[in-house]
Amino acid sequence: MQTHHQPDKRERYAALRPFAFNEALNVLCVYDADLIAAIFRSEDFRTNPFADHYRTIAGRTGIDFRASIDALDHVPFSKEGEEHRCLRAAMSAVVSGDARGHAAGMERFIGDLVGALFVAGREVELMHDIGRPIFFELFSRWLKIDERPFLKESNISQVFDGAMSLNRRKKVNRALQELADALAERRDAIATTPEVAVAMNVLGNDALTGSLVLSLWHVLQLHPGARLCDIAFPQHLPATGVPFIERIASRDVEIRGMKVARDQKVRLMIDATAFEVTGEEADLFFGKGRHVCIGKPMTLAIWRALGKAVTALPLRFMPGELHLRTGDYAFTYPETARITLHD
């Protein structure tokens, strides 16, 4: 069972701080916030070349994983140097265009969405009713097209999962190929290239929806039976759907008392700082340094708009079921998160 899915993970993480070697994974896991931030900023650690893993599997099995490889080859945080700069610039051009207008539009959308859904006597399923609509609205603004007619699978971000079965990889690959084909057909309408648009979907799908829904659920389950308008929403996301990010040591290095051998994989457990974040520490959810998340300003704007809309209501609520996606080694993703509203 993955540590980031365990109910007692905070106690477990605290016991493992600041770092511990996981023999089963052959990975050095880091749990301390300051050490995680230092590694994010360090030039002595390189990114995980996700696409190369698929190239190895494709070579070994003869299965065509070109859609997965192409998607991962266009993800900035899997690259370094000039490749990273070019891919990051391409995505930044989409995300930063009319940023204020998009933020204002998302706030209006979220206000209307919450107002229509949060009604006394109604059960709200936070992923289906809140998380997914917010994702589609944001990407329709960024990419200039509505993806709902052709983006049917919500599993595309699992392409990052290094522990998936072969059958699951093939399913994700098919979904990515379908998305790439649909975007290629709309090449003249979208705000960037189809390849960059696919990569943006891969980066934003599970990370955005998982983080928003987990954070909303966490805030609400702390106050069962309370009126929504009496809850103080944090300005930063208290939870993340991305439990860890990996780096690889480029040389033998010692950093803040931790010795790492060249080519050793290091797993930065950013989930270990979840639920108790304040100020700068919350930024760990978005990375640090040259690979800081491009979508950070919009994600925080959406989270704050969601808090504003929810806490404007005098309704009371009770949390219901929360079920995480099973067999997931890359994300903490709620398949179901329900609340019931009443006067």
Side-chain angles (χ1 to χ4, degrees):
M1 184 177 183
Q2 286 297 93
T3 305
H4 63 269
H5 283 180
Q6 294 177 9
D8 64 342
K9 60 186 173 184
R10 276 178 282 180
E11 288 76 11
R12 177 67 173 154
Y13 284 150
L16 291 168
R17 280 188 173 93
F19 57 86
F21 185 76
N22 187 311
E23 293 186 0
L25 298 173
N26 192 30
V27 168
L28 187 58
C29 297
V30 182
Y31 304 92
D32 177 73
D34 292 334
L35 183 53
I36 290 172
I39 293 172
F40 269 136
R41 293 190 179 102
S42 175
E43 297 286 344
D44 294 322
F45 293 85
R46 64 185 186 274
T47 56
N48 190 354
F50 293 98
D52 289 351
H53 185 51
Y54 277 84
R55 290 187 178 96
T56 300
I57 296 173
R60 188 174 67 241
T61 63
I63 298 172
D64 184 357
F65 280 115
R66 278 179 293 182
S68 298
I69 292 168
D70 194 46
L72 292 170
D73 269 338
H74 285 84
V75 171
F77 77 68
S78 68
K79 302 292 182 180
E80 296 285 359
E82 186 61 24
E83 280 188 288
H84 169 257
R85 286 189 289 273
C86 289
L87 290 171
R88 186 176 177 86
M91 287 191 183
S92 294
V94 179
V95 171
S96 61
D98 193 22
R100 289 186 179 179
H102 290 328
M106 289 304 300
E107 182 171 350
R108 289 191 297 271
F109 173 80
I110 291 168
D112 292 342
L113 181 67
V114 170
L117 288 171
F118 281 51
V119 177
R122 180 166 184 168
E123 181 183 78
V124 178
E125 202 290 289
L126 299 179
M127 179 57 76
H128 179 270
D129 296 334
I130 299 291
R132 296 298 291 163
I134 287 175
F135 169 83
F136 279 121
E137 178 67 17
L138 176 61
F139 271 66
S140 71
R141 291 175 177 275
W142 276 350
L143 297 180
K144 311 301 184 188
I145 58 168
D146 185 357
E147 295 185 321
R148 277 168 287 206
F150 55 84
L151 183 56
K152 304 300 183 183
E153 288 284 350
S154 62
N155 66 352
I156 54 174
S157 293
Q158 287 188 285
V159 70
F160 291 114
D161 194 335
M164 278 194 299
S165 68
L166 196 58
N167 284 336
R168 202 167 184 181
R169 289 187 195 281
K170 290 191 288 186
K171 181 180 179 181
V172 172
N173 190 74
R174 283 195 299 271
L176 285 168
Q177 187 62 65
E178 291 169 3
L179 175 60
D181 291 344
L183 289 167
E185 290 175 4
R186 297 159 175 82
R187 181 184 300 271
D188 293 338
I190 60 177
T192 185
T193 66
E195 294 79 12
V196 169
V198 170
M200 288 181 64
N201 273 274
V202 165
L203 281 170
N205 198 313
D206 287 11
L208 176 64
T209 56
S211 297
L212 287 176
V213 172
L214 282 174
S215 292
L216 181 56
W217 173 265
H218 173 70
V219 172
L220 295 180
Q221 62 90 25
L222 290 176
H223 307 280
R227 294 193 307 166
L228 294 169
C229 59
D230 292 334
I231 297 174
F233 260 65
Q235 289 295 293
H236 294 276
L237 291 162
T240 176
V242 185
F244 63 84
I245 294 175
E246 292 182 338
R247 293 288 187 267
I248 301 170
S250 299
R251 64 178 183 88
D252 292 347
V253 61
E254 182 172 350
I255 183 166
R256 298 183 71 92
M258 183 179 75
K259 294 182 178 180
V260 188
R262 180 179 178 178
D263 295 330
Q264 172 64 57
K265 186 177 289 185
V266 177
R267 181 168 290 189
L268 310 179
M269 301 299 299
I270 56 176
D271 191 48
T273 67
F275 305 124
E276 300 164 358
V277 296
T278 57
E280 282 299 310
E281 189 175 299
D283 287 345
L284 289 179
F285 290 175
F286 300 97
K288 289 280 188 182
R290 64 193 184 280
H291 287 283
V292 67
C293 177
I294 296 168
K296 174 185 172 182
M298 181 58 76
T299 301
L300 290 177
I302 288 172
W303 168 245
R304 290 161 187 170
L306 186 58
K308 178 181 176 181
V310 168
T311 57
L313 302 172
L315 296 173
R316 296 185 184 276
F317 71 94
M318 286 300 295
E321 297 176 300
L322 172 68
H323 293 300
L324 299 179
R325 184 168 58 196
T326 58
D328 199 334
Y329 293 88
F331 295 92
T332 308
Y333 188 88
E335 286 190 330
T336 304
R338 293 189 173 93
I339 62 169
T340 302
L341 300 153
H342 58 92
D343 291 320

Short mmCIF file of all heavy atoms in Angstrom, two decimals, residues 260-296:
data_model
loop_
_atom_site.label_atom_id
_atom_site.label_comp_id
_atom_site.label_asym_id
_atom_site.label_seq_id
_atom_site.Cartn_x
_atom_site.Cartn_y
_atom_site.Cartn_z
N VAL A 260 24.09 11.72 -1.24
CA VAL A 260 23.41 11.07 -2.35
C VAL A 260 24.46 10.69 -3.40
O VAL A 260 25.28 11.52 -3.80
CB VAL A 260 22.37 12.01 -3.00
CG1 VAL A 260 21.55 11.25 -4.03
CG2 VAL A 260 21.46 12.63 -1.95
N ALA A 261 24.43 9.43 -3.83
CA ALA A 261 25.37 8.96 -4.84
C ALA A 261 24.89 9.35 -6.23
O ALA A 261 23.69 9.53 -6.48
CB ALA A 261 25.51 7.44 -4.75
N ARG A 262 25.83 9.49 -7.13
CA ARG A 262 25.50 9.81 -8.52
C ARG A 262 24.51 8.79 -9.08
O ARG A 262 24.63 7.59 -8.85
CB ARG A 262 26.78 9.80 -9.36
CG ARG A 262 26.55 10.12 -10.83
CD ARG A 262 27.86 10.12 -11.59
NE ARG A 262 27.63 10.39 -13.01
CZ ARG A 262 28.60 10.49 -13.93
NH1 ARG A 262 29.87 10.36 -13.55
NH2 ARG A 262 28.31 10.72 -15.18
N ASP A 263 23.52 9.30 -9.81
CA ASP A 263 22.46 8.51 -10.47
C ASP A 263 21.45 7.91 -9.49
O ASP A 263 20.56 7.16 -9.92
CB ASP A 263 23.04 7.39 -11.34
CG ASP A 263 23.83 7.95 -12.52
OD1 ASP A 263 23.48 9.06 -13.01
OD2 ASP A 263 24.79 7.28 -12.95
N GLN A 264 21.55 8.26 -8.20
CA GLN A 264 20.55 7.80 -7.24
C GLN A 264 19.26 8.59 -7.43
O GLN A 264 19.27 9.82 -7.51
CB GLN A 264 21.05 7.99 -5.80
CG GLN A 264 20.01 7.72 -4.72
CD GLN A 264 19.55 6.28 -4.69
OE1 GLN A 264 20.36 5.38 -4.53
NE2 GLN A 264 18.24 6.06 -4.85
N LYS A 265 18.15 7.87 -7.51
CA LYS A 265 16.84 8.53 -7.62
C LYS A 265 16.39 8.99 -6.25
O LYS A 265 16.48 8.24 -5.26
CB LYS A 265 15.81 7.59 -8.23
CG LYS A 265 14.46 8.23 -8.52
CD LYS A 265 13.49 7.25 -9.20
CE LYS A 265 13.92 6.98 -10.62
NZ LYS A 265 12.91 6.12 -11.32
N VAL A 266 15.89 10.23 -6.18
CA VAL A 266 15.42 10.82 -4.93
C VAL A 266 13.95 11.18 -5.08
O VAL A 266 13.57 11.84 -6.05
CB VAL A 266 16.24 12.10 -4.58
CG1 VAL A 266 15.70 12.75 -3.32
CG2 VAL A 266 17.71 11.74 -4.40
N ARG A 267 13.14 10.71 -4.16
CA ARG A 267 11.70 10.98 -4.20
C ARG A 267 11.37 12.07 -3.17
O ARG A 267 11.50 11.85 -1.96
CB ARG A 267 10.91 9.71 -3.92
CG ARG A 267 9.41 9.88 -3.98
CD ARG A 267 8.68 8.54 -3.98
NE ARG A 267 8.88 7.81 -5.23
CZ ARG A 267 8.22 6.70 -5.56
NH1 ARG A 267 7.32 6.20 -4.74
NH2 ARG A 267 8.46 6.11 -6.72
N LEU A 268 10.96 13.23 -3.65
CA LEU A 268 10.63 14.35 -2.78
C LEU A 268 9.17 14.24 -2.38
O LEU A 268 8.26 14.47 -3.19
CB LEU A 268 10.89 15.67 -3.52
CG LEU A 268 12.27 15.80 -4.18
CD1 LEU A 268 12.39 17.13 -4.91
CD2 LEU A 268 13.37 15.62 -3.16
N MET A 269 8.92 13.88 -1.14
CA MET A 269 7.56 13.61 -0.67
C MET A 269 6.88 14.92 -0.26
O MET A 269 6.75 15.25 0.93
CB MET A 269 7.60 12.62 0.50
CG MET A 269 8.26 11.28 0.15
SD MET A 269 7.41 10.36 -1.17
CE MET A 269 5.80 10.11 -0.43
N ILE A 270 6.43 15.68 -1.25
CA ILE A 270 5.79 16.95 -0.95
C ILE A 270 4.48 16.75 -0.20
O ILE A 270 4.02 17.65 0.51
CB ILE A 270 5.56 17.79 -2.23
CG1 ILE A 270 4.76 17.03 -3.27
CG2 ILE A 270 6.89 18.23 -2.80
CD1 ILE A 270 4.43 17.85 -4.50
N ASP A 271 3.89 15.57 -0.32
CA ASP A 271 2.68 15.26 0.43
C ASP A 271 2.95 15.23 1.94
O ASP A 271 2.04 15.37 2.74
CB ASP A 271 2.13 13.91 -0.03
CG ASP A 271 0.74 13.63 0.52
OD1 ASP A 271 -0.11 14.53 0.42
OD2 ASP A 271 0.51 12.54 1.05
N ALA A 272 4.23 15.07 2.31
CA ALA A 272 4.57 15.05 3.74
C ALA A 272 4.38 16.41 4.38
O ALA A 272 4.34 16.53 5.61
CB ALA A 272 6.02 14.59 3.92
N THR A 273 4.27 17.47 3.58
CA THR A 273 4.03 18.81 4.12
C THR A 273 2.56 19.21 4.01
O THR A 273 2.20 20.33 4.34
CB THR A 273 4.89 19.85 3.37
OG1 THR A 273 4.43 19.96 2.02
CG2 THR A 273 6.35 19.46 3.37
N ALA A 274 1.71 18.29 3.53
CA ALA A 274 0.30 18.61 3.31
C ALA A 274 -0.46 18.77 4.62
O ALA A 274 -0.05 18.27 5.67
CB ALA A 274 -0.36 17.51 2.49
N PHE A 275 -1.57 19.49 4.53
CA PHE A 275 -2.53 19.69 5.62
C PHE A 275 -2.05 20.64 6.71
O PHE A 275 -2.82 21.04 7.57
CB PHE A 275 -2.93 18.36 6.27
CG PHE A 275 -3.47 17.36 5.30
CD1 PHE A 275 -2.90 16.10 5.19
CD2 PHE A 275 -4.53 17.68 4.47
CE1 PHE A 275 -3.39 15.19 4.28
CE2 PHE A 275 -5.03 16.77 3.56
CZ PHE A 275 -4.46 15.52 3.46
N GLU A 276 -0.77 20.99 6.70
CA GLU A 276 -0.25 21.86 7.74
C GLU A 276 0.56 23.01 7.13
O GLU A 276 1.44 23.56 7.76
CB GLU A 276 0.64 21.05 8.70
CG GLU A 276 -0.11 19.92 9.39
CD GLU A 276 0.82 18.91 10.02
OE1 GLU A 276 2.04 19.07 9.88
OE2 GLU A 276 0.33 17.96 10.65
N VAL A 277 0.24 23.36 5.89
CA VAL A 277 1.05 24.34 5.18
C VAL A 277 0.71 25.76 5.60
O VAL A 277 -0.42 26.10 5.90
CB VAL A 277 0.89 24.21 3.66
CG1 VAL A 277 1.41 22.86 3.20
CG2 VAL A 277 -0.56 24.39 3.25
N THR A 278 1.72 26.60 5.62
CA THR A 278 1.53 28.03 5.85
C THR A 278 2.55 28.78 5.02
O THR A 278 3.71 28.38 4.91
CB THR A 278 1.74 28.39 7.33
OG1 THR A 278 3.04 27.97 7.74
CG2 THR A 278 0.70 27.72 8.22
N GLY A 279 2.11 29.84 4.40
CA GLY A 279 3.03 30.72 3.70
C GLY A 279 3.88 30.03 2.66
O GLY A 279 3.40 29.31 1.82
N GLU A 280 5.20 30.24 2.74
CA GLU A 280 6.12 29.76 1.72
C GLU A 280 6.12 28.24 1.61
O GLU A 280 6.34 27.69 0.53
CB GLU A 280 7.54 30.24 2.03
CG GLU A 280 7.78 31.69 1.67
CD GLU A 280 7.59 31.95 0.18
OE1 GLU A 280 8.15 31.21 -0.64
OE2 GLU A 280 6.85 32.89 -0.15
N GLU A 281 5.87 27.54 2.70
CA GLU A 281 5.91 26.09 2.64
C GLU A 281 4.88 25.54 1.67
O GLU A 281 5.07 24.50 1.04
CB GLU A 281 5.67 25.50 4.04
CG GLU A 281 5.92 24.00 4.12
CD GLU A 281 5.79 23.48 5.53
OE1 GLU A 281 6.57 23.94 6.40
OE2 GLU A 281 4.93 22.63 5.78
N ALA A 282 3.77 26.26 1.51
CA ALA A 282 2.74 25.82 0.57
C ALA A 282 3.26 25.78 -0.85
O ALA A 282 2.74 25.03 -1.68
CB ALA A 282 1.52 26.75 0.66
N ASP A 283 4.27 26.55 -1.16
CA ASP A 283 4.82 26.59 -2.51
C ASP A 283 5.46 25.27 -2.92
O ASP A 283 5.69 25.03 -4.10
CB ASP A 283 5.87 27.71 -2.62
CG ASP A 283 5.24 29.08 -2.63
OD1 ASP A 283 4.02 29.17 -2.83
OD2 ASP A 283 5.96 30.06 -2.43
N LEU A 284 5.78 24.41 -1.97
CA LEU A 284 6.38 23.13 -2.31
C LEU A 284 5.45 22.30 -3.18
O LEU A 284 5.91 21.47 -3.96
CB LEU A 284 6.73 22.34 -1.04
CG LEU A 284 7.90 22.88 -0.22
CD1 LEU A 284 8.12 22.02 1.00
CD2 LEU A 284 9.17 22.94 -1.05
N PHE A 285 4.15 22.50 -3.06
CA PHE A 285 3.20 21.79 -3.91
C PHE A 285 3.43 22.11 -5.38
O PHE A 285 3.06 21.34 -6.26
CB PHE A 285 1.77 22.17 -3.55
CG PHE A 285 1.30 21.65 -2.22
CD1 PHE A 285 0.05 22.03 -1.73
CD2 PHE A 285 2.06 20.80 -1.44
CE1 PHE A 285 -0.41 21.56 -0.52
CE2 PHE A 285 1.61 20.33 -0.22
CZ PHE A 285 0.37 20.70 0.25
N PHE A 286 4.02 23.27 -5.65
CA PHE A 286 4.21 23.73 -7.03
C PHE A 286 5.67 23.66 -7.47
O PHE A 286 6.03 24.17 -8.53
CB PHE A 286 3.70 25.16 -7.17
CG PHE A 286 2.24 25.32 -6.85
CD1 PHE A 286 1.84 25.74 -5.58
CD2 PHE A 286 1.28 25.04 -7.80
CE1 PHE A 286 0.49 25.87 -5.28
CE2 PHE A 286 -0.07 25.18 -7.50
CZ PHE A 286 -0.47 25.59 -6.24
N GLY A 287 6.52 23.05 -6.65
CA GLY A 287 7.94 22.99 -6.98
C GLY A 287 8.65 24.27 -6.58
O GLY A 287 8.08 25.19 -6.01
N LYS A 288 9.93 24.32 -6.89
CA LYS A 288 10.77 25.48 -6.61
C LYS A 288 11.75 25.68 -7.76
O LYS A 288 12.02 24.78 -8.53
CB LYS A 288 11.56 25.29 -5.31
CG LYS A 288 10.73 25.34 -4.03
CD LYS A 288 10.44 26.74 -3.63
CE LYS A 288 9.78 26.79 -2.25
NZ LYS A 288 9.46 28.16 -1.86
N GLY A 289 12.30 26.87 -7.83
CA GLY A 289 13.38 27.12 -8.79
C GLY A 289 12.93 27.07 -10.24
O GLY A 289 11.82 27.46 -10.58
N ARG A 290 13.79 26.52 -11.08
CA ARG A 290 13.59 26.59 -12.53
C ARG A 290 12.40 25.75 -13.00
O ARG A 290 11.92 25.92 -14.14
CB ARG A 290 14.86 26.15 -13.26
CG ARG A 290 15.27 24.71 -13.04
CD ARG A 290 16.69 24.46 -13.52
NE ARG A 290 17.11 23.06 -13.41
CZ ARG A 290 17.51 22.49 -12.28
NH1 ARG A 290 17.53 23.19 -11.15
NH2 ARG A 290 17.90 21.22 -12.27
N HIS A 291 11.93 24.83 -12.18
CA HIS A 291 10.83 23.96 -12.59
C HIS A 291 9.53 24.27 -11.83
O HIS A 291 8.65 23.42 -11.75
CB HIS A 291 11.20 22.49 -12.40
CG HIS A 291 12.19 21.99 -13.40
ND1 HIS A 291 11.84 21.66 -14.69
CD2 HIS A 291 13.53 21.79 -13.30
CE1 HIS A 291 12.91 21.25 -15.34
NE2 HIS A 291 13.95 21.33 -14.53
N VAL A 292 9.42 25.46 -11.26
CA VAL A 292 8.19 25.80 -10.55
C VAL A 292 7.01 25.71 -11.50
O VAL A 292 7.10 26.03 -12.69
CB VAL A 292 8.29 27.21 -9.93
CG1 VAL A 292 8.35 28.29 -10.99
CG2 VAL A 292 7.14 27.47 -8.96
N CYS A 293 5.87 25.26 -11.01
CA CYS A 293 4.69 24.99 -11.84
C CYS A 293 4.19 26.25 -12.54
O CYS A 293 3.95 27.28 -11.90
CB CYS A 293 3.57 24.41 -10.97
SG CYS A 293 2.04 24.12 -11.85
N ILE A 294 4.00 26.17 -13.86
CA ILE A 294 3.51 27.29 -14.65
C ILE A 294 2.09 27.67 -14.23
O ILE A 294 1.70 28.83 -14.28
CB ILE A 294 3.57 26.95 -16.15
CG1 ILE A 294 5.02 26.75 -16.59
CG2 ILE A 294 2.90 28.02 -17.00
CD1 ILE A 294 5.17 26.12 -17.96
N GLY A 295 1.31 26.69 -13.83
CA GLY A 295 -0.09 26.93 -13.49
C GLY A 295 -0.34 27.37 -12.06
O GLY A 295 -1.50 27.51 -11.65
N LYS A 296 0.72 27.63 -11.30
CA LYS A 296 0.55 27.98 -9.89
C LYS A 296 -0.36 29.20 -9.67
O LYS A 296 -1.31 29.11 -8.87
CB LYS A 296 1.93 28.23 -9.26
CG LYS A 296 1.86 28.76 -7.83
CD LYS A 296 3.25 29.10 -7.31
CE LYS A 296 3.18 29.81 -5.97
NZ LYS A 296 4.52 30.18 -5.47
#
